[in-house]
Amino acid sequence: MSETTEFTKICALDDVWEGEMDVFEVDGQEVLIVHVEGGEIRAYDPVCPHQDHPLIEGEFENCILTCSAHLWQFNAISGKGVNPEGVSLNAYPAKVENDHVYAVLPANN
């Protein structure tokens, strides 16, 4: 998949409160939005890189996102693997503008 540089509106900022995560579908693509405590917003591919299990079924606590399938853990700010190390979530550039969350999603091929 190739990347575009255009930001797409994903949701309202109020749709994902601080300390929460949720999955949104935009133009047939799903994106996981994580609202880290402290106000930072991150956007990720919504499946675990291990076996494509939906991350929304996991837990998000103390800035750690844990996949429910095999308990792989990721730092919610960087997307890097905590357990195991050496893996990472597929991250998308994200921003907040006018109380809405935007992300650059991969192009559908």
Side-chain angles (χ1 to χ4, degrees), residues 16-100:
V16 184
W17 292 5
E18 245 181 79
E20 294 184 351
M21 65 178 176
D22 205 348
V23 171
F24 297 90
E25 185 175 333
V26 178
D27 297 329
Q29 286 186 275
E30 290 187 335
V31 59
L32 177 71
I33 300 297
V34 180
H35 195 161
V36 180
E37 294 197 22
E40 293 186 59
I41 293 288
R42 295 292 187 260
Y44 296 108
D45 187 334
V47 295
C48 181
H50 178 219
Q51 291 187 342
D52 293 334
H53 191 77
L55 290 169
I56 194 66
E57 295 177 7
E59 294 182 15
F60 175 46
E61 187 174 341
N62 297 324
C63 212
I64 300 295
L65 200 161
T66 303
C67 179
S68 64
H70 299 101
L71 304 181
W72 280 31
Q73 295 181 311
F74 303 90
N75 179 302
I77 294 175
S78 68
K80 291 183 180 179
V82 173
N83 183 24
E85 295 179 350
V87 297
S88 62
L89 298 175
N90 292 323
Y92 309 139
K95 67 179 181 178
V96 175
E97 192 172 280
N98 298 324
D99 293 324
H100 284 86

Side-chain angles (χ1 to χ4, degrees), residues 2 8 19 25 49:
S2 63
T8 301
E25 185 175 333

